[in-house]
Amino acid sequence: MDTTKHDINTLFAQLGLPNSNEQIDAFIASHELEDTTLLQEASFWDEAQQHFLAESLAQDGDWSEVIDELDVRIRQSK
């Protein structure tokens, strides 16, 4: 049974990125997405990160809500 807490900090750790609140805010502030670009297809992800995001969204599993939160936060940072 997976007891991992699925929040934005844990998502960033899962993606291999710095995951303190300040580091996450800095990442979000420094990245933009075009309206037509899906989050998982953004050029700032490496291949493994893109695969994890796409697979997690396709499965509509535990990570989906947190990934959606990240998507909204990046798009609102414009």
Side-chain angles (χ1 to χ4, degrees):
M1 183 166 125
D2 181 13
T3 59
T4 305
K5 181 178 178 184
H6 294 91
D7 61 16
I8 194 86
N9 302 85
T10 310
L11 174 63
F12 269 66
Q14 181 72 26
L15 293 169
L17 299 171
N19 66 332
S20 73
N21 290 336
E22 295 80 16
Q23 292 166 317
I24 292 168
D25 290 343
F27 179 93
I28 290 169
S30 66
H31 292 85
E32 291 186 14
L33 281 175
E34 297 296 323
D35 291 338
T36 58
T37 303
L38 298 174
L39 177 68
Q40 64 272 26
E41 295 175 357
S43 61
F44 48 82
W45 304 120
D46 67 26
E47 187 176 332
Q49 291 167 328
Q50 287 179 332
H51 179 76
F52 173 78
L53 293 168
E55 185 176 296
S56 296
L57 288 170
Q59 292 175 355
D60 197 26
D62 295 334
W63 289 110
S64 295
E65 188 174 323
V66 181
I67 294 169
D68 289 342
E69 174 190 345
L70 175 60
D71 191 349
V72 168
R73 288 181 63 184
I74 288 177
R75 291 179 195 279
Q76 288 178 345
S77 71
K78 284 194 208 181

